[in-house]
Structures are given as C-alpha cells and as structure tokens.
Amino acid sequence: MSSIKIKLKEKDIAQIDEICKSFNNEPGELINVLHKVQTTFGYLPAEVQDVVANKLNMSVAKVYGVVTFYSFFTMIPKGRFPISICTGTACYVRGAEKVLDEFKKQLSIKVGESTPDGKFSLNCLRCVGACGLAPVVQVGEKTYGRVSPDLVKDILKNYE
Amino acid sequence: METIKLTIDKKLVEVEKGTTILQAAKKIGINIPTLCYMNLGDMNIENKPGGCRVCVVELEGRRNLAPACATDCAEGMVIHTHSIRVLNARKTVVQLILSDHPFDCLICAKSGNCELQSLAHKLGIREIPYQGEQSTYRKDTSPAIIRDVDKCIMCRRCEVMCNEVQTVGVLSAINRGFHAVVAPAFEMNLDHSVCTYCGQCVNVCPTGALTEVDHTNQLINDLADPEKTVIVQTAPAVRAALGEEFGLEAGTLVTGKMASALRELGFDYVFDTDFAADLTIMEEGTELLDRLSKHLAGDKEVKLPILTSCCPAWVKFFEHNYPEMKDIPSTARSPQQMFGSIAKTYFADKIGVDRKKLIVVSIMPCVAKKYECSRDEFKVDGNPDVDYSISTRELAGLIKRANIDFLSLPDEDFDHPMGESTGAAVIFGTTGGVIEAAVRTAYEVYTGKTLKKVDFEELRGLEGLRSATIDFDGLKLNIGIAHGLGNARKLLDEIKAGKSMYHAIEIMACPGGCIGGGGQPYIHGDSSIIKARHKAIYAEDEGKTLRKSHENPDIIKLYEEFLGKPLGEKAHHLLHTHYFDRKKEIFID
C-alpha cells in the first residue's frame, strides 16, 4: 500500500494529541485511538500514524501493522460522499454484486478507492440490518433500498 | 516452590509450576523440535508465539494437539512427543510451510545454517503434496542487510529482537492472512527506516529471509587484481568466534590461524583493528580526561557523561532517537574507521601507493560496519577510508571456498606497523572492554602513577546494565555500561531527564557486545557460546605482554612520526567525526 504525502497542520497534531490523551496515551488503547482519529480525519495517512506512534510511545511500524491488519482502517481518504454497498447475504443474493459493478463502471474506481476529485469513494460492507430493502446502498448517511444497476446513475445524479 | 508431576514419553518428571512442556521435556533429555520458538535464556530473550505448530505434542485427554512451547505443564499430564499422530502433524505443518517457500536451497545464503532446511531433513520430508499460489514480495537491499521476505516463515523472532530487545522498532508484521509480511512502517525499504543495521534480526532469522550483504565476490576480484594493494584489518571479536565455523569448541582463540589464512587468501598486508583500538583509546581517553577536567573546573559548556562511539549501530540509533544529545558521545571515530583513515594516509605514504589503489578491507563481527564504511564523512573525494567490510561468517565461507585447511594452518603474526596491539585493544570485543581499556590509560595519564593491577573486574560481566565506581586517586569516576540497544535507551532516558550520575558510559548495540555481533557465526539459540567467546577475549588480553594502549610502541611511533599529539589538529582531522540529526529524515516517500 502506498502512502500519501500530506503535511499536517499544527491544529491537526493538537487534535491527535487530544485524542491520545483522552486514552491516557496508553499503547494498549491503540485500536481505540486509531478508531477515533479515523473518525476525525476520515482516514489514517502515514503522517497521522507517525504522530499517533509518537504520542503513544510506540514504533510507527507497529501502528502501521495494526492499520493494515484491520480492514476497517484505511489510508486512503474517503470521498465527500462515501458510497457503501452492502454485500451481506441477503443483498448479495438480490444482486448486490451487479450494483457494485455498475458503481465501479460509472466512477471508474475499484473498491477501497476514491475518485480523483475526492467526491466519491467506494466500499463494501456486510449487512446494515435492512435486509427487507435488499440490495441496499448507503451514500453518506442516506440509505437507498431495492437498488438495481440501472438506478445507479440516478443515485449519483443526486450529488452533482 | 509449588511443583507439578507429569509423564512425558513414559518418563516421570517433576517441574516447577509455570514450566512449559517444552522445558520439562528438555529437563529429561527430550528435545522436541521447534521452529518459531526462540529462547536466549541468559539474555532473557524469549519468543513463543506458538505460531508454527512444529512443537506439537499429544496430551492424553485433550482433543487437539498442544504446542509444547506455549503450553504450561499441569499435574498428572500424560504427554507423548513422538506418537504417530504427532509425527504426521509435524510433517504436515512443515510441508505446508514449504509449499509457500522458494526452493532455492542450493543457492541460498543460509543453506547449511537454515533451521527450516534442517527441520525438513530431520522430519524426513521428501515431497510437498500441496501446491498452490506462493506469496511474493520485492527484495529489499540496504547497505548492510538484505530482506528476502519470500523466505520469511512469520516466526516473528526478528520482531522480538528489533522491538523488545533493541527497541529500534523497524520490523513489524503487517497486512493479514496470506498477504502478511514482516516489514518496516509503510513498507519502506530498510535504508528509509530507522534501522541501525545491528543485525540482531539476521542472527535470529531461522531462514534466509534476513541476511547480510555479501562482499566476498568483490574481495576475490580485488585480491586477483595486480594493480591493487589489498590490506586487511580484523576486529577483536572475530578471533574468538571464527574457529566455531571449523568445528572448534566455542571460545577457542584462532588469532594466529586467522592471520595465516588471510595471508593464504592473498592479502598483501595482514593488519589488526586492535592497533586502531589502541589508537581509539589514545583519542577517546584523552577526550574523556579533557572533558572531565573542564567539567570539574566548572565549565558549564562541557557536558558529561561522555559516551563511547565505537559502535556504528549505536551511533545510528542515537542519531535517529536522541539527536538533541548528539554532542555527548565522544567524537572519536570507531577503530575500523581510524584504521582506514591512517591506512590511506600514513601507511599509503609509507609504501608509496595511491589511496585509490589501496583497498582496505575489514573483517568484522558486525553487519553495521558495512553501513559505517559507506557513510560519506568517511570518504575522501568519494574514495572510502575502508572500502568494504566482511563478516566473520563471510570470512569463514571464503576460507572454505579457497580450499584452505584452516585447522592445520600454522599460527602466524600480524604484519607491521598496523598489526601491533595491546590487551586493552583486544577487550574492545566484549561489553565492558572499551571502557576498561580507556580506564587503564586514563588512570595512568590522570594520576601519573602506574597501575598495580590492570584488571578491572568490576567493569566486567554480561549483565545488560552495569555500573561501577573507579577511584582515580581520590576522584571517584562513575561508569555506566549498557549492551543491547534497549538497555542503552534506559541510560539515555536518564541523561535526558537530567538524572544520570555517570561520568562515562560505554554502549554496544549487540547483546554481549561485538562477540554477539550481527556478523558472527550463528549460535542457534545457544547463549553459552556468547559466554565462551567472552572468556576467550579476556584470555587473549591476559596473554599479552602489553596491556595498556599508551604502551603500544607502534602507536607511540605513529604520534611521533605523523599525528603529533592526541586531539591535536591532525588527529582531529583524521580520527574524529561529527554526528547528524536523523530525526527529520522522515521515512515517507
């Protein structure tokens, strides 16, 4: 996985520091810290991991090891409108994969990537508990049910 | 002490509570095969992730097999270590590991020393029934260490060394499942990381995943080139370990045979790094006294403690981790580099050879030395003072390759003038030795008296952190000693917090000092070998007529003829160095 070069601002560093402090800078709290930091920044770029490692007094290699182990953590920024396609059992059998393929085609990105303009990102998840509406797609906070491949274009139009 | 009774292979054994099945079996002479497990007992280093499952045993009343390394004994256990079920399981485990392992044993650097190879042989594996995808990863070559992750079996021993023992924190398991590898952060190459090249990961790697950069072919070419004068220096710890590669008992000194073998290999001059170690003491000892007297006179600019600077892995460690303290270590170059610097000026002039045609090779117990001689500040117009360094292991390989019957070689001496040395130089090879050598000289210079006894037992030992107070005729000199970078970190944190009570500190990156260096013959988990080498070093010292660096006649002559005086202008230029802040060298491409 390649890392993304960004320059952290003082206030970003202060924010990470704050989060680490809220967990008493305890190395054992690494996963919780990363969780919160990702919620704040949207993703975990290399420099953010470097700061976290520093604050928790552990090696950045260990932090990176944890980030790459759990699929929840990402080093790629999410789009302004993150798209999640449910590929849980119910959605899958009702054609989620075809819907996913259509999103990939329309956006020209793979799962886990973002569009170059940073508008959309594409991810899969397993079951949002709305199996009756399968297949389900979430864009940000909004949920779309009974999605078919030909509806994909219309969904994307909502965010122009 | 609570004890437990259990039965292993029909033998009754009584052990302390908390003993693992593996340890209990060993107690009654049953050596259960292991792969990922590592225990360097005396150094308190253990790795038992229970990951490889090679050490599984059958436990009556338990459904599945148990990993002996990670299962504690319990009262009344009945264990079988070689039932058919166990043997088949072990075989399957190794076959599965081999199914994702390159088959280049014939040309692998680790062949003959590979624990996976010998295990496959031991378990009688003659076929791999499993075929499928193999994980592949790019090869990473740094100035000292090569990572070939395709050969990694995820035993995590290197991780334990790098993180827990050395606290360097470069290597970590990343990704998951089939894609998991051990790598530096962000999968950068080693030369973009904070790796110190101490080589302890190489020492414990069971396979060829981590090896040193090989310079032997370059050496063979140089030796065959009639245009070049090739000279060699050998570090003190090499002579205490090289014999192991030829079947000699650990701790056998082979100084004379080694000099003889190097001559056989075709070196034009066979010299000794010990000569430069004596020179180091002249400079470092003088610097210690200089800083000490200024400090005692109340000069607030002068900082104490002074730290030794012979170890390149240690130097890189503080450049990355404690750059704000980079004015504390002695500015004296390491013996390897002092040797190179003098060889390519003083000695080159003496024999009338241009420095570019003079190839200086070092034999080191170390892999970080390969990196050290590649550092830019040790080059003149791009020409390095030491052209390259080869490890003890590489030298042994070269002697075997050249068909030299090492054991029947006569004992020979080093050449002059850079082969003369004292006992003080020899003990540079072990933890405590550099500071003892410095004390022997500093004491006599400071007090003007002759030492009645040159042995400072209080500075010796293999404890990771040691301290002693030496009486300099009324002046109590507090000395700290650390080996292993994790221990060094403790002393540095003390200094940083302003709590250090030491005047001088010796630091060596490797556990045991250079005798346990990353380039030494593999010990395969037997830490008694380190102890034997440690003893051998002091035996060599005791056997020397001269045991104080300032009494080395060729060193005295070098100052008279060429250098002037210690810390003088010429010495400053040729024998001292400066350090860099590497904290800002962020490892993100």
Side-chain angles (χ1 to χ4, degrees):
Chain A
M1 194 186 288
S2 68
S3 52
I4 290 146
K5 199 168 192 169
I6 60 152
K7 196 86 213 121
L8 285 179
K9 296 191 191 82
E10 284 297 322
K11 77 167 182 30
D12 296 335
I13 295 172
Q15 221 168 348
I16 300 169
D17 191 24
E18 207 51 49
I19 293 168
C20 292
K21 269 191 194 139
S22 72
F23 290 100
N24 297 323
N25 294 58
E26 195 51 60
E29 296 281 5
L30 176 65
I31 292 174
N32 286 329
V33 168
L34 289 174
H35 200 137
K36 200 135 187 208
V37 172
Q38 181 164 293
T39 313
T40 309
F41 291 86
Y43 69 120
L44 297 166
E47 294 205 5
V48 166
Q49 293 179 43
D50 197 37
V51 177
V52 170
N54 214 309
K55 300 288 174 201
L56 300 187
N57 197 20
M58 60 196 300
S59 83
V60 66
K62 286 272 164 206
V63 175
Y64 180 72
V66 169
V67 168
T68 54
F69 185 84
Y70 294 101
S71 59
F72 171 80
F73 295 126
T74 173
M75 288 182 64
I76 298 169
K78 287 230 170 98
R80 269 175 290 135
F81 305 107
I83 302 167
S84 304
I85 290 131
C86 178
T87 48
T89 314
C91 289
Y92 193 84
V93 296
R94 307 256 323 200
E97 191 157 24
K98 286 194 179 111
V99 175
L100 174 63
D101 286 343
E102 187 61 23
F103 272 108
K104 284 196 220 164
K105 203 172 120 196
Q106 290 291 332
L107 299 170
S108 306
I109 55 172
K110 293 189 207 119
V111 174
E113 290 182 348
S114 303
T115 52
D117 60 1
K119 193 168 171 185
F120 295 108
S121 56
L122 197 56
N123 273 296
C124 291
L125 50 77
R126 299 272 189 277
C127 199
V128 291
C131 305
L133 296 174
V136 172
V137 169
Q138 285 185 324
V139 182
E141 302 283 296
K142 190 164 166 54
T143 304
Y144 298 85
R146 303 247 158 80
V147 181
S148 59
D150 50 321
L151 286 175
V152 167
K153 244 184 199 165
D154 296 336
I155 292 173
L156 290 173
K157 262 189 198 146
N158 293 334
Y159 303 93
E160 271 172 6
Chain B
M1 194 66 70
E2 202 180 326
T3 61
I4 286 167
K5 287 196 189 85
L6 65 158
T7 312
I8 305 177
D9 292 344
K10 296 179 188 157
K11 292 186 189 85
L12 199 69
V13 56
E14 188 169 354
V15 293
E16 274 173 33
K17 202 178 172 199
T19 306
T20 63
I21 295 174
L22 186 72
Q23 289 165 331
K26 200 172 176 184
K27 209 179 153 189
I28 49 169
I30 298 168
N31 285 309
I32 298 169
T34 56
L35 185 56
C36 65
Y37 180 75
M38 169 177 77
N39 186 348
L40 302 174
D42 299 326
M43 286 176 262
N44 217 4
I45 301 165
E46 196 176 31
N47 178 53
K48 49 172 183 181
C52 76
R53 314 310 265 195
V54 163
C55 68
V56 285
V57 293
E58 195 167 353
L59 235 90
E60 283 187 13
R62 175 170 158 153
R63 193 174 48 87
N64 55 354
L65 300 176
C69 75
T71 310
D72 282 351
C73 295
E75 187 64 44
M77 265 183 176
V78 180
I79 296 161
H80 304 283
T81 75
H82 55 78
S83 66
I84 195 135
R85 194 177 158 210
V86 165
L87 292 185
N88 282 338
R90 273 186 204 143
K91 194 166 169 182
T92 304
V93 161
V94 174
Q95 281 173 329
L96 281 166
I97 294 172
L98 290 174
S99 73
D100 186 22
H101 195 87
F103 283 161
D104 56 1
C105 290
L106 284 175
I107 52 167
C108 178
K110 205 57 180 286
S111 188
N113 263 312
C114 173
E115 292 175 36
L116 180 60
Q117 189 184 45
S118 55
L119 192 61
H121 180 70
K122 187 175 176 176
L123 297 180
I125 291 170
R126 294 287 175 268
E127 57 170 1
I128 316 290
Y130 312 104
Q131 262 153 31
E133 199 186 339
Q134 294 207 334
S135 53
T136 56
Y137 199 83
R138 69 174 195 276
K139 232 180 182 183
D140 171 12
T141 303
S142 71
I145 294 170
I146 300 172
R147 283 172 59 233
D148 185 357
V149 177
D150 292 355
K151 293 177 182 167
C152 174
I153 54 161
M154 294 301 281
C155 71
R156 323 282 289 262
R157 289 184 192 174
C158 57
E159 249 186 285
V160 169
M161 289 313 276
C162 189
N163 293 276
E164 288 166 35
V165 179
Q166 299 295 65
T167 66
V168 169
V170 165
L171 295 173
S172 173
I174 56 156
N175 298 328
R176 66 191 297 173
F178 191 64
H179 304 286
V181 289
V182 173
F186 315 119
E187 302 187 45
M188 293 294 147
N189 287 338
L190 277 182
D191 63 353
H192 275 69
S193 76
V194 295
C195 176
T196 65
Y197 303 123
C198 71
Q200 286 302 314
C201 57
V202 175
N203 268 3
V204 298
C205 178
T207 70
L210 292 160
T211 53
E212 71 264 52
V213 173
D214 189 329
H215 284 98
T216 53
N217 292 324
Q218 193 176 348
L219 174 57
I220 288 173
N221 284 332
D222 282 336
L223 286 170
D225 188 340
E227 297 278 296
K228 288 172 180 165
T229 303
V230 189
I231 71 172
V232 66
Q233 53 163 319
T234 62
V238 177
R239 66 207 64 183
L242 182 64
E244 293 162 27
E245 291 275 352
F246 300 93
L248 294 175
E249 200 185 329
T252 309
L253 286 162
V254 292
T255 319
K257 288 195 191 325
M258 177 180 67
S260 187
L262 291 167
R263 222 163 260 132
E264 284 269 324
L265 282 171
F267 284 100
D268 295 295
Y269 295 89
V270 178
F271 289 141
D272 197 353
T273 312
D274 287 11
F275 169 82
D278 279 331
L279 187 56
T280 302
I281 288 304
M282 297 302 289
E283 293 297 322
E284 203 170 273
T286 311
E287 192 186 351
L288 162 68
L289 288 178
D290 184 57
R291 267 162 72 169
L292 190 66
S293 55
K294 280 180 184 159
H295 183 81
L296 293 174
D299 188 339
K300 292 273 183 288
E301 292 290 296
V302 178
K303 287 181 186 159
L304 284 179
I306 184 172
L307 309 177
T308 58
S309 55
C310 302
C311 170
W314 148 236
V315 166
K316 196 161 182 277
F317 181 77
F318 77 70
E319 286 181 327
H320 281 296
N321 297 288
Y322 299 90
E324 65 280 5
M325 299 200 288
K326 69 182 162 66
D327 54 342
I328 301 182
S330 161
T331 58
R333 292 182 191 183
S334 72
Q336 167 177 278
Q337 292 310 133
M338 284 201 183
F339 182 96
S341 182
I342 295 299
K344 290 210 175 175
T345 52
Y346 175 71
F347 180 68
D349 284 351
K350 248 187 190 289
I351 58 167
V353 173
D354 182 69
R355 70 174 285 141
K356 287 194 184 73
K357 297 225 163 126
L358 181 69
I359 305 296
V360 177
V361 181
S362 69
I363 317 286
M364 293 283 148
C366 181
V367 295
K369 288 285 173 192
K370 289 174 185 282
Y371 154 78
E372 186 184 42
C373 54
S374 76
R375 286 176 65 132
D376 285 338
E377 65 271 28
F378 299 134
K379 290 175 185 166
V380 175
D381 301 327
N383 178 265
D385 289 343
V386 177
D387 290 82
Y388 45 88
S389 166
I390 71 169
S391 67
T392 311
R393 291 190 293 262
E394 284 173 276
L395 174 63
L398 209 53
I399 293 170
K400 290 172 192 167
R401 207 190 306 178
N403 209 24
I404 295 168
D405 183 3
F406 187 78
L407 297 180
S408 59
L409 287 174
D411 286 341
E412 290 183 4
D413 277 333
F414 292 105
D415 290 318
H416 283 279
M418 297 178 75
E420 183 67 56
S421 70
T422 71
V426 173
I427 55 174
F428 264 60
T430 184
T431 169
V434 172
I435 206 76
E436 181 171 340
V439 165
R440 289 180 191 176
T441 287
Y443 179 91
E444 296 203 349
V445 174
Y446 181 80
T447 63
K449 293 180 182 167
T450 306
L451 277 172
K452 284 194 191 75
K453 186 169 174 284
V454 297
D455 301 288
F456 288 87
E457 300 288 348
E458 58 271 52
L459 297 171
R460 300 181 185 180
L462 283 167
E463 283 283 304
L465 272 174
R466 306 194 299 283
S467 64
T469 303
I470 307 287
D471 189 351
F472 270 39
D473 226 6
L475 170 68
K476 302 262 192 267
L477 204 64
N478 294 328
I479 288 169
I481 297 164
H483 57 117
L485 288 169
N487 291 321
R489 188 183 282 278
K490 288 177 195 154
L491 291 186
L492 286 164
D493 286 340
E494 267 181 30
I495 301 171
K496 206 171 167 181
K499 285 180 190 157
S500 184
M501 34 88 74
Y502 299 115
H503 296 104
I505 293 176
E506 177 206 278
I507 292 173
M508 296 188 188
C510 292
C514 307
I515 50 169
Q520 291 282 59
Y522 295 111
I523 63 167
H524 295 296
D526 183 358
S527 49
S528 72
I529 293 175
I530 303 286
K531 280 186 189 161
R533 292 174 188 165
H534 181 74
K535 263 174 101 171
I537 290 278
Y538 287 109
E540 177 99 331
D541 168 35
E542 247 183 73
K544 289 263 189 183
T545 337
L546 297 175
R547 297 181 65 193
K548 290 170 274 189
S549 295
H550 56 286
E551 290 176 354
N552 182 332
D554 284 337
I555 290 288
I556 296 169
K557 206 163 137 199
L558 175 68
Y559 277 104
E560 280 170 5
E561 280 182 12
F562 184 67
L563 284 171
K565 59 178 186 3
L567 294 189
E569 199 190 324
K570 202 159 197 173
H572 180 79
H573 176 64
L574 291 172
L575 306 178
H576 289 260
T577 186
H578 51 281
Y579 306 109
F580 300 87
D581 180 350
R582 295 189 196 276
K583 204 158 206 163
K584 297 284 172 282
E585 278 181 16
I586 191 106
F587 22 81
I588 299 167
D589 278 338

